[in-house]
Amino acid sequence: MFRYAEVLVDVANRRLDQSYHYAIPEHFALIIGMRVLVFLQNRKVQGLVVNVTNDLPDELASVKLKPVLEIVDEESLVPTELIELAHWLAKTTICSVAQCLHTVWPLLKGKVEEWIILQVSIKDPDVQTLQWLDTDAYRAISVLNRARSKSISLKIFLKRANISVEMLEKLIQQGLAKKETRFVSTGEGSKRKASCNEGPLEINGSNSPSGRTYELTVEQASAVSKVSAALEGGSSQTVLLHGVTGSGKTDVYRELITKVLVEGGDAILLVPEISLTSQVARYFETQFGGKVIILHSGLQPREKMKAWEDILSGQKRIVIGARSAVFAPLPNLRLIILDEEHDGAYKQDENPKYHARDVARKRMEQRKGVVLLGSATPSLEAYAAAQSGKIHLLTMTARIGMSVLPPVEIVDMREELLNGNRSMFSLLLQQKLRERLERGEQTMLFLNRRGYSTFVVCRECGYVMGCPNCDIALTYHSQGQAMCCHYCNHKELPPHTCPQCGSRYIRFFGQGTQRVEEELQGLLPEVPILRLDFDTTRSGEAHRTILESFRRQKASILVGTQMMAKGLDFPNVTLVGVIAADQMLNMPDFRARERTFQLLTQVAGRAGRSIKAGEVVIQTYSPTEGAILRAAHHDFQGFFWEEIRYRKVRRYPPFTHIIRVLLLHEKEDRVIRGANDLGACLQQGMQNPKFGNNELDILGPAPAVLPRLKNQWRWQVSVKGTNLDQLRAFLHRGVQMFYKNSASSGVVLNIEVDPLSS
């Protein structure tokens, strides 16, 4: 029996975020992965046993250790690989290990509470034996007697019984009640031990994927064959599947998952949005039935606990869900698929700020399995890794069946203005809308609304005000009435005339889907229109209801944001219109061109997905912009090499890494002072020879894109460099210096590695 336990305490305070050694009582049989209660600075906290040993570090040899107080749950063990994953996550995201543990193993969630337990057997609290008690004591015993299992949390007990702490101590001394420390889990449920799954899966009565009701194309079959070879290779691999919209990537996923299950393995399929999980799951349930389970952050704690228990027991072997499903504890996990891998939704906004792609690769490194990244518009990072040979690249260049990629027409909105058309709809788009209505076909109109960003554009020549230092669009701030760069804090006054052509038609640019819907209804008053955006999908079933109504052709036009650019397939949609490509292109973000190309390509891919031919109209004030032209020609290769050269010159990812520190405080002057002080600490760190010669750049301090949110002022400081480990070390040193200064008092730091947005 081991004598000592190394316990990782469950506290979010980074100062205490480490493991501590405790003595193991003789009657405890502790093993790695158990949850325990321990004392930390005179308070009881939950901890996780990460090691058991008979030997102590030298510095603890003469120290009297506190004992482990209690085993919380002997059956619910955290797998060792997920403990390792939490440590890796903490290191790579610069977050506390405790927060990472809660992310990878949500069954840990709960709190330590004091409970009061009735010690005497009482059938009826009105019996004569209790008449000697005074009124307060009698009321307290009655409350305990009515409680389930004759026990109740101390906090609730004192409130219901309405007695003093002194009276409670008197009851305990007289042996009528006792106090006990308990760990109360969030969403309590039945406990099951992890077990192996049922082995190879029979599909349609045989051990072969003959349940397929479709024929694979040559490109699909080739992709399946090559990923299958990677699965059989016995080493961790990442494969990028670059397939144009409508090329049948989902059928490839289903074929590969079938193969994995037949051979006794498990699989995870990730989609970027919670709203997509149900429709994707229905597609897989037709073949795999009850083996499929949906996981996402929208589940209630009890639902999630039940789901994880079904996964651990081997009842569920295919997990479909949004990014948090990447942590699903499948016993024989062999394949993780990220559909639409380029999507920013795979990056977590809250601590730990992980990217599902990175977690998937780490998990398959542990399991010697395969990560499959699928997209029609891969992220530059993933495609660059494929071009350099770090990951494998597979391509599918043709749509399945009779459909073909739709032709795209670009409309110069400057010309529309010169011709007297002040509507947000070009004459060409209006004409094509009416043609679809006459033929009984449907249209999707796309607008990427981000109301917090407003840039300045000349409606005559297309000039956009940009930062001279960062080549990023400047953002207008009503407070101070200035144009500001959110990278280096360069500021300018908004111009009255265009600096390039002298036109007075230079305006703040920004419009939303609601305005598009209203103007469209005025243009076509008798036409039924649906809108799909954040405002119309707040309720749980609204997203599905809107799409189902459009699928049943109850509306002729669907107006929406990027929600409708993902995974939607409507056979009767033959026209897609992009209202304002500039609204994506001129966001204050170095990834704006990449996002513009991706969104235009993805939304264009919604048209002509059946035997009916499709068309796309893109409206813009920048008709010669490379991202728009490449998207119009469905030319990913051309866009990639153009953009990668731009990134290299500007030293943006994937050639460098960026770590952003967001500072938050309720008072503006405090957060500005804190940001300037952190910037000074980082500048001082540049004098250190260890960091001074490593091409490190400090960006800012500057106000965040959202300078105020939820009653907190926000500023940011970023550091940029080629060596990520050194960058983390440099920032860590600067943050430590910052916390020693008075300017840090009350300022919250939010750190993110390689942020996907400004």
Side-chain angles (χ1 to χ4, degrees):
M1 182 180 293
F2 293 103
R3 299 169 57 198
Y4 308 108
E6 186 178 352
V7 178
L8 181 68
V9 293
D10 183 8
V11 291
N13 187 335
R14 287 190 64 83
R15 188 170 57 84
L16 303 174
D17 185 39
Q18 64 183 75
S19 59
Y20 297 87
H21 285 81
Y22 292 85
I24 302 176
E26 290 187 5
H27 59 287
F28 280 7
L30 287 187
I31 59 176
I32 294 174
M34 276 186 173
R35 292 180 295 165
V36 294
L37 294 182
V38 294
F39 270 119
L40 180 68
Q41 296 186 343
N42 299 318
R43 65 187 178 104
K44 293 177 182 177
V45 298
Q46 180 195 191
L48 183 71
V49 178
V50 295
N51 192 26
V52 287
T53 180
N54 286 319
D55 301 312
L56 288 174
D58 293 340
E59 64 270 19
L60 296 178
S62 59
V63 177
K64 184 178 180 181
L65 299 179
K66 296 177 182 178
V68 173
L69 300 176
E70 186 179 335
I71 298 174
V72 172
D73 187 351
E74 294 184 4
E75 294 184 339
S76 181
L77 298 178
V78 181
T80 304
E81 70 174 89
L82 292 186
I83 297 175
E84 294 173 0
L85 185 65
H87 281 280
W88 170 84
L89 200 59
K91 179 181 178 181
T92 55
T93 61
I94 317 179
C95 183
S96 75
V97 179
Q99 286 176 306
C100 293
L101 273 169
H102 286 307
T103 299
V104 305
W105 190 257
L107 306 188
L108 283 171
K109 291 182 179 178
K111 55 185 177 180
V112 178
E113 289 185 349
E114 296 290 337
W115 276 54
I116 302 301
I117 300 137
L118 184 63
Q119 286 290 87
V120 294
S121 177
I122 302 174
K123 295 181 180 180
D124 183 353
D126 293 325
V127 294
Q128 296 294 318
T129 54
L130 296 181
Q131 286 185 352
W132 60 272
L133 291 173
D134 60 33
T135 305
D136 286 351
Y138 179 82
R139 187 170 61 252
I141 294 296
S142 298
V143 168
L144 279 175
N145 194 55
R146 290 194 299 269
R148 182 184 298 176
S149 302
K150 311 298 182 187
S151 62
I152 191 172
S153 75
L154 174 61
K155 185 177 180 180
I156 296 175
F157 172 70
L158 291 176
K159 184 177 180 180
R160 288 184 182 175
N162 192 24
I163 63 171
S164 65
V165 175
E166 290 75 20
M167 173 56 72
L168 173 60
E169 292 300 326
K170 183 177 178 182
L171 292 175
I172 293 173
Q173 290 172 6
Q174 293 177 348
L176 296 173
K178 75 171 183 177
K179 190 185 295 184
E180 181 181 279
T181 302
R182 291 184 180 180
F183 177 80
V184 182
S185 296
T186 301
E188 293 178 348
S190 60
K191 302 177 181 66
R192 297 177 185 165
K193 294 182 180 180
S195 65
C196 295
N197 63 29
E198 301 158 0
L201 176 69
E202 284 197 9
I203 299 175
N204 289 349
S206 70
N207 281 342
S208 66
S210 59
R212 190 197 321 137
T213 58
Y214 51 90
E215 288 297 323
L216 296 179
T217 66
V218 173
E219 288 185 325
Q220 287 176 318
S222 176
V224 169
S225 175
K226 290 175 180 177
V227 178
S228 297
L231 284 164
E232 294 165 1
S235 62
S236 63
Q237 295 189 47
T238 300
V239 179
L240 174 62
L241 177 59
H242 178 206
V244 299
T245 56
S247 59
K249 292 184 289 295
T250 306
D251 288 337
V252 172
Y253 304 157
R254 186 158 75 167
E255 194 76 5
L256 288 168
I257 289 174
T258 299
K259 177 179 175 61
V260 167
L261 264 66
V262 164
E263 295 176 355
D266 303 324
I268 295 173
L269 171 58
L270 301 180
V271 293
E273 299 284 354
I274 292 176
S275 57
L276 294 175
T277 54
S278 296
Q279 73 177 58
V280 173
R282 283 196 296 271
Y283 181 75
F284 282 83
E285 284 168 350
T286 58
Q287 184 169 345
F288 303 109
K291 297 297 178 184
V292 178
I293 191 168
I294 295 175
L295 274 185
H296 53 69
S297 58
L299 296 177
Q300 295 298 317
R302 287 180 183 273
E303 294 175 316
K304 192 161 190 176
M305 179 172 282
K306 176 64 165 61
W308 278 51
E309 288 169 351
D310 288 345
I311 292 167
L312 284 166
S313 67
Q315 295 182 52
K316 305 294 183 180
R317 298 177 57 187
I318 304 171
V319 172
I320 296 175
R323 64 173 175 266
S324 61
V326 74
F327 299 106
L330 290 160
N332 292 295
L333 183 60
R334 296 282 298 131
L335 175 67
I336 301 180
I337 300 170
L338 276 76
D339 189 28
E340 310 290 2
E341 71 83 23
H342 66 276
D343 200 288
Y346 284 123
K347 184 69 179 285
Q348 169 85 350
D349 290 332
E350 300 172 352
N351 288 334
K353 296 178 183 293
Y354 67 87
H355 196 296
R357 179 179 58 217
D358 299 329
V359 176
R361 295 186 69 174
K362 180 63 179 178
R363 292 204 69 187
M364 290 298 89
E365 182 183 306
Q366 293 175 317
R367 293 293 190 98
K368 308 301 181 187
V370 171
V371 176
L372 179 60
L373 309 174
S375 177
T377 54
S379 62
L380 256 71
E381 287 83 354
Y383 202 78
Q387 290 297 314
S388 64
K390 294 178 182 177
I391 64 177
H392 302 285
L393 175 63
L394 304 175
T395 58
M396 296 195 302
T397 59
R399 284 186 161 186
I400 57 175
M402 302 295 291
S403 65
V404 295
L405 290 171
V408 180
E409 293 186 70
I410 298 174
V411 177
D412 187 345
M413 295 301 286
R414 298 172 301 179
E415 294 291 331
E416 294 288 315
L417 181 65
L418 290 174
N419 293 331
N421 179 18
R422 298 184 180 276
S423 166
M424 67 171 63
F425 307 110
S426 64
L427 297 178
L428 177 66
L429 183 57
Q430 292 180 39
Q431 173 196 333
K432 292 188 178 295
L433 276 169
R434 291 190 171 97
E435 288 175 359
R436 265 58 191 184
L437 294 173
E438 290 172 4
R439 298 203 299 250
E441 296 170 353
Q442 292 174 292
T443 299
M444 298 172 75
L445 295 181
F446 172 77
L447 180 73
N448 189 38
R449 181 189 61 182
R450 290 175 70 180
Y452 58 78
S453 291
T454 305
F455 59 93
V456 171
V457 62
C458 175
R459 293 189 66 182
E460 285 201 2
C461 73
Y463 170 79
V464 175
M465 285 193 68
C467 174
N469 305 319
C470 305
D471 199 17
I472 298 297
L474 295 177
T475 300
Y476 176 71
H477 284 257
S478 56
Q479 185 177 13
Q481 296 183 338
M483 308 298 297
C484 178
C485 173
H486 292 287
Y487 283 82
C488 70
N489 203 26
H490 170 81
K491 293 180 180 178
E492 292 183 26
L493 292 175
H496 297 292
T497 59
C498 175
Q500 185 162 289
C501 73
S503 169
R504 57 190 177 88
Y505 291 105
I506 185 161
R507 296 286 185 270
F508 302 124
F509 194 91
Q511 54 195 7
T513 49
Q514 187 172 0
R515 183 182 161 197
V516 173
E517 182 188 22
E518 290 172 356
E519 290 209 16
L520 188 62
Q521 202 71 73
L523 184 68
L524 304 167
E526 303 300 323
V527 176
I529 300 169
L530 288 171
R531 177 160 56 96
L532 185 73
D533 59 19
F534 180 76
D535 294 328
T536 61
T537 57
R538 290 178 185 271
S539 63
E541 290 296 308
H543 185 278
R544 186 186 64 81
T545 301
I546 293 170
L547 292 181
E548 195 59 34
S549 295
F550 190 63
R551 187 180 302 279
R552 293 177 181 175
Q553 302 182 36
K554 293 183 178 180
S556 300
I557 302 173
L558 177 65
V559 177
T561 58
Q562 63 264 35
M563 284 183 179
M564 69 182 199
K566 304 168 186 175
L568 301 182
D569 191 343
F570 298 108
N572 198 40
V573 170
T574 59
L575 175 64
V576 166
V578 178
I579 302 300
D582 308 83
Q583 200 156 332
M584 301 171 283
L585 185 62
N586 294 304
M587 292 300 169
D589 190 342
F590 73 88
R591 299 182 194 271
R593 278 179 285 268
E594 180 183 7
R595 287 209 179 91
T596 297
F597 177 85
Q598 289 170 340
L599 278 168
L600 291 179
T601 303
Q602 292 285 344
V603 77
R606 301 310 109 198
R609 294 176 71 94
S610 67
I611 58 175
K612 296 180 180 179
E615 289 183 277
V616 181
V617 175
I618 296 177
Q619 300 182 163
T620 177
Y621 289 95
S622 308
T624 59
E625 165 59 41
I628 295 175
L629 289 173
R630 300 290 185 184
H633 292 91
H634 308 284
D635 182 11
F636 177 82
Q637 285 270 347
F639 170 75
F640 171 79
W641 291 112
E642 186 177 277
E643 181 69 7
I644 209 74
R645 284 192 291 270
Y646 161 77
R647 298 274 187 97
K648 188 173 184 178
V649 170
R650 285 289 180 178
R651 295 184 64 243
Y652 284 130
F655 297 99
T656 57
H657 295 279
I658 296 175
I659 303 180
R660 180 179 63 195
V661 184
L662 190 65
L663 298 92
L664 304 97
H665 198 280
E666 293 179 355
K667 295 182 178 179
E668 185 180 17
D669 61 327
R670 293 284 297 277
V671 78
I672 293 174
R673 180 187 169 201
N676 286 318
D677 190 73
L678 175 59
C681 291
L682 293 171
Q683 289 289 353
Q684 186 177 341
M686 294 286 281
Q687 309 305 317
N688 188 325
K690 180 179 178 182
F691 303 114
N693 300 318
N694 289 298
E695 297 185 342
L696 294 175
D697 290 331
I698 300 171
L699 306 176
V705 172
L706 282 169
R708 195 179 188 202
L709 184 66
K710 297 180 180 178
N711 205 33
Q712 286 190 312
W713 291 94
R714 297 147 52 93
W715 273 58
Q716 63 188 38
V717 181
S718 299
V719 293
K720 183 167 72 170
T722 55
N723 187 312
L724 187 53
D725 290 335
Q726 285 191 341
L727 203 59
R728 288 192 183 103
F730 171 72
L731 181 65
H732 181 69
R733 183 180 184 277
V735 169
Q736 284 183 318
M737 291 177 60
F738 170 71
Y739 274 129
K740 294 177 182 178
N741 301 335
S742 60
S744 68
S745 178
V747 176
V748 175
L749 297 189
N750 200 325
I751 301 172
E752 183 171 7
V753 179
D754 287 331
L756 293 185
S757 59
S758 58

